[in-house]
């Protein structure tokens, strides 16, 4: 207990407004609301204290504060950013003052008993920001410590008049975190604005702004949002940098039920690629107004409106991409070493772009283009090439694993990633993709929706068996397999594409 006294005694050496970082420093609290005097009214709310260095002194340990809620005697839920990458945390229960060193229930939890959502990244604000803490020593339930239920997966927040109650350990006037609650209405998808992650977060509003326009400040990340209709958890309070206009953000709990019930059941996603891992991937940047495939959308745009696609580096002077990525453009830009601050950007004119002579806008087959650079790329650790499979290579083993590279949109953020998957033959793809799919020349692969939405047009597919280029991603439609062009049948064209140059025209 002396250690706890020592740690808690430095908890408020600096004002909470000075704390910045990813371990709860941006955690939020309900600044205005009813102070909980009787813990029997909020016995399912717990506090989280996580160690971190003083922002101005690496040798001084601080304890950042968050809120959590109790699902059972051994299960605690909070935000991932409150507990990510810390050696231990303290769970405090049964008290309105989370900094009270005399609290009867203060449980230390080691890192191995803290599970952050495997898709969580502190680099993407608000995405998958949930963690589950499992207690080795069960809580002893009483009049001031208890649990709360959560809504089931079919629950819909579809009535903006529904009232919710948010609970949190608010920092009152930068002094200490006191438990409060605040009734609010949630904000529908149509009305919400400036959320951190539109695909996951909703908002609630008190209808009035306080504290210089903010209703939340330090301390309340991870707190429960409870329906006043059924008394169950519907969300987890969050807010990273604070919100204004009387709004607060929360994660709908229904999106995370699988993780809550069994954190190991959620598959991790690949981390963003490093510059070295992406060395054979380039970007093709094109003025949108010139692209024939997008003419109807961008006909009135100026040249500053540009689209970015993926491409594959075959050699110091050879770049491969989709035909529809460049078809109709008088010039494009090729960017190598795209993930580094030392990226190489080259302008490529129309005479350097070869389109397959059988390419047609009406379908996806032969959707391939080769770009020849006049100025060779300089290969290094972050810029390199990938070899083609030979023309006799057959993709006829559905158990074969391949790795798909390219930009993927996950929670509104586009990042280069790679995923291992299995390919599907054309006969399986056609009824799923539709009549425009040419089963004689194309194949497809599936991608778990939790991994994001592919935006990899022109991205490479590498065989895990021989580490060579076996395919190139062509297109993707929501809810359908991802279409790719096998490389082997186009081997001869890629090696000498100007046998018959396609006379492109702008339509």
């Amino acid at each position: 207990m002396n250690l706890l006294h020592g740690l808690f005694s430095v908890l408020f050496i600096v004002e909470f407004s000075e704390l910045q970082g990813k371990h709860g420093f941006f955690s939020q609290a309900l600044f205005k609301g009813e102070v909980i005097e009787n813990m029997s009214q909020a016995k399912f709310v717990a506090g989280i204290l996580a160690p971190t260095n003083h922002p101005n002194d690496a040798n001084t340990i601080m304890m950042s504060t968050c809120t959590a809620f109790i699902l059972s005697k051994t299960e605690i839920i909070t935000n991932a950013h409150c507990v990510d990458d810390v050696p231990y945390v303290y769970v405090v229960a049964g008290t309105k003052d989370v900094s009270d060193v005399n609290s009867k229930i203060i449980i230390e939890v080691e890192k191995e008993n803290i599970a952050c959502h495997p898709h969580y990244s502190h680099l993407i604000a608000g995405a998958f920001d949930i963690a589950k803490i499992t207690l080795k020593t069960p809580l002893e339930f009483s009049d001031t410590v208890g649990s709360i239920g959560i809504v089931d997966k079919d629950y819909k927040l579809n009535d903006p008049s529904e009232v919710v109650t948010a609970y949190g350990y608010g920092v009152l006037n930068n002094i200490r975190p006191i438990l409060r609650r605040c009734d609010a209405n949630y904000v529908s998808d149509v009305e919400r604005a400036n959320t951190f992650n539109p695909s996951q977060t909703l908002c609630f509003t008190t209808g009035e702004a306080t504290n210089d326009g903010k209703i939340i400040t330090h301390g309340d990340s991870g707190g429960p949002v409870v329906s006043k209709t059924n008394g169950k958890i519907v969300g987890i309070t969050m807010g990273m940098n604070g919100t204004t206009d009387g709004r607060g953000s929360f994660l709908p709990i229904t999106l995370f039920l699988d993780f809550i019930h069994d954190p190991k059941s959620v598959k991790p996603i690949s981390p963003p690629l490093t510059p070295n891992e992406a060395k054979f991937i380039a970007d093709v940047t094109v003025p949108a107004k010139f692209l024939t495939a997008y003419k109807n959308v961008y006909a009135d745009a100026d040249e500053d409106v540009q689209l970015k696609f993926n491409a594959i580096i075959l050699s110091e002077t050879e770049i491969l991409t989709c035909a529809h990525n460049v078809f109709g453009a008088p010039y494009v830009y090729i960017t190598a070493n795209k993930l580094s601050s030392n990226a190489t950007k080259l302008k490529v004119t129309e005479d350097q772009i070869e389109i397959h002579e059988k390419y047609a806008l009406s379908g996806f087959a032969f959707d391939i283009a080769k770009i020849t650079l006049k100025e060779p790329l300089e290969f290094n650790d972050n810029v390199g090439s990938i070899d083609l499979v030979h023309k006799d290579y057959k993709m006829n083993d559905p158990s074969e694993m391949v790795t798909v590279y390219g930009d993927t949109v996950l929670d509104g953020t586009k990042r280069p990633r790679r995923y291992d998957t299995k390919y599907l033959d054309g006969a399986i793809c056609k009824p799923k993709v539709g009549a425009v799919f040419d089963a004689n020349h194309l194949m497809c692969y599936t991608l778990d929706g939790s991994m994001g939405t592919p935006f990899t047009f022109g991205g490479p597919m590498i065989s895990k068996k021989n580490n060579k280029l076996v395919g190139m991603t062509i297109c993707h439609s929501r809810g359908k397999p991802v279409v790719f062009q096998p490389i082997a049948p186009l081997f001869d064209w890629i090696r000498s594409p100007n046998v018959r140059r396609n006379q492109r025209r702008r339509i």
Side-chain angles (χ1 to χ4, degrees):
M1 195 59 153
N2 289 335
L3 174 61
L4 285 178
H5 275 281
L7 291 174
F8 286 11
S9 66
V10 298
L11 178 60
F12 302 106
I13 288 177
V14 282
E15 292 186 350
F16 274 78
S17 59
E18 294 183 24
L19 298 179
Q20 295 185 21
K22 70 174 181 176
H23 304 313
F25 298 163
F26 286 132
S27 57
Q28 308 299 317
L30 297 168
F31 193 87
K32 181 179 179 181
E34 175 192 357
V35 175
I36 301 296
E37 299 292 352
N38 185 349
M39 277 304 296
S40 65
Q41 300 173 347
K43 59 184 181 180
F44 50 85
V45 183
I48 302 294
L49 297 172
T52 185
N53 291 333
H54 187 293
N56 299 319
D57 184 357
N59 295 318
T60 301
I61 300 297
M62 305 293 297
M63 298 298 288
S64 62
T65 305
C66 279
T67 308
F69 55 90
I70 303 168
L71 286 185
S72 73
K73 292 182 177 181
T74 58
E75 298 173 297
I76 309 293
I77 303 297
T78 188
N79 277 148
H81 77 261
C82 296
V83 296
D84 178 43
D85 198 26
V86 295
Y88 61 89
V89 299
Y90 293 108
V91 174
V92 184
T95 178
K96 70 173 184 179
D97 184 350
V98 74
S99 65
D100 182 7
V101 297
N102 297 313
S103 297
K104 292 183 179 179
I105 300 179
I106 303 176
I107 301 175
E108 183 175 345
V109 181
E110 300 297 324
K111 183 177 182 178
E112 59 264 26
N113 293 315
I114 303 171
C116 293
H117 197 290
H119 299 180
Y120 167 73
S121 169
H122 71 277
L123 299 175
I124 308 175
F128 303 100
D129 195 356
I130 184 173
K132 182 177 182 179
I133 297 172
T134 302
L135 303 179
K136 288 184 177 180
T137 303
L139 291 169
E140 183 177 336
F141 282 180
S142 65
D143 291 341
T144 58
V145 179
S147 61
I148 189 170
I150 54 180
V151 293
D152 60 35
K153 63 181 180 180
D154 296 324
Y155 180 82
K156 302 294 183 183
L157 278 167
N158 54 14
D159 181 2
S161 66
E162 181 178 348
V163 179
V164 294
T165 304
Y167 295 77
Y169 282 101
V171 180
L172 184 60
N173 298 324
N174 290 325
I175 297 176
R176 59 195 315 116
I178 302 296
L179 183 58
R180 295 168 174 266
R181 64 183 174 192
C182 181
D183 287 349
N185 293 101
Y186 83 88
V187 181
S188 68
D189 286 354
V190 176
E191 297 171 349
R192 62 190 169 133
N194 299 321
T195 55
F196 299 102
N197 174 19
S199 66
Q200 287 188 2
T201 59
L202 295 175
C203 291
F204 57 78
T205 178
T206 61
E208 60 178 317
T210 62
N211 188 33
D212 193 26
K214 298 179 181 180
I215 65 165
I216 55 178
T217 183
H218 305 285
D220 192 57
S221 287
V225 178
V226 181
S227 168
K228 290 184 76 70
T229 302
N230 57 36
K232 294 184 178 181
I233 299 286
V234 296
I236 307 170
T237 302
M238 52 162 291
M240 293 298 182
N241 294 312
T243 55
T244 59
D245 301 326
R247 292 174 185 256
S249 296
F250 70 93
L251 302 178
I253 201 72
T254 54
L255 298 179
F256 305 101
L257 295 181
D258 289 342
F259 170 80
I260 290 172
H261 294 313
D262 181 9
K264 294 181 180 180
S265 69
V266 181
K267 296 185 296 183
I269 59 175
S270 300
L273 296 175
T274 65
N276 176 262
E277 292 170 330
K279 66 180 182 179
F280 48 81
I281 304 176
D283 277 343
V284 178
T285 307
V286 191
K289 66 177 297 181
F290 297 124
L291 286 179
T292 305
Y294 299 90
K295 186 175 181 181
N296 292 337
V297 179
Y298 296 102
D300 298 326
D302 58 37
E303 292 188 34
D304 291 333
V305 179
Q306 299 186 335
L307 299 179
K308 185 180 292 186
F309 306 99
N310 289 154
I312 307 163
I313 302 174
L314 298 182
S315 72
E316 290 92 337
T317 58
E318 298 173 296
I319 307 291
L320 206 63
T321 191
C322 298
H324 78 265
N325 291 349
V326 295
F327 186 68
Y331 64 89
V332 302
Y333 294 98
I334 299 296
T335 303
N337 199 9
K338 55 181 280 187
L339 301 183
S340 169
S341 58
N342 298 318
T344 300
K345 189 173 184 178
L346 302 173
K347 186 174 182 178
V348 173
T349 52
E350 189 174 17
D351 61 303
Q352 298 171 251
I353 303 173
E354 301 287 343
I355 305 290
H356 197 288
E357 62 273 9
K358 293 184 179 180
Y359 169 66
L361 285 173
S362 58
F364 305 122
F366 304 103
D367 191 351
I368 187 169
K370 183 177 178 181
I371 297 170
T372 302
L373 303 178
K374 293 179 180 179
E375 180 181 345
L377 295 172
E378 183 178 339
F379 280 5
N380 53 46
D381 289 343
N382 297 334
V383 181
S385 60
I386 188 74
D387 292 332
L388 302 174
V389 291
H390 192 266
K391 62 182 179 181
D392 296 328
Y393 179 81
K394 303 294 184 183
M395 299 189 77
N396 54 13
D397 181 3
S399 66
E400 181 180 345
M401 296 296 295
V402 292
T403 303
V404 180
Y405 292 74
D407 293 337
T408 302
V409 178
L410 182 62
D411 305 310
T413 303
K414 185 167 70 171
R415 296 176 182 274
R417 300 180 185 272
R418 63 183 174 194
Y419 304 98
D420 290 344
T421 186
K422 295 179 180 179
Y423 62 84
L424 305 173
D425 64 37
I428 296 176
C429 304
K430 189 173 180 61
K432 297 179 181 292
V433 178
V436 295
F437 180 83
D438 185 341
N440 294 319
H441 300 97
L442 300 172
M443 303 177 79
C444 65
Y445 61 88
T446 57
L447 193 63
D448 186 340
S450 67
M451 297 179 179
T453 301
F455 200 81
T456 58
F457 310 143
M461 172 186 284
I462 310 298
S463 169
K464 293 185 73 69
K465 181 170 60 179
N466 56 35
N467 200 37
K468 293 186 177 182
L469 183 70
V470 296
M472 181 176 67
T473 299
I474 298 295
C475 71
H476 174 257
S477 298
R478 186 178 296 276
K480 296 182 179 181
V482 184
V483 177
F484 73 92
Q485 172 70 67
I487 290 298
L490 302 176
F491 181 90
D492 290 337
W493 183 90
I494 293 172
R495 287 306 180 203
S496 54
N498 56 355
V499 171
R500 192 184 87 182
R501 179 176 176 178
N502 179 42
Q503 299 299 318
R504 294 179 300 162
R505 65 187 186 279
R506 300 188 185 96
I507 301 174

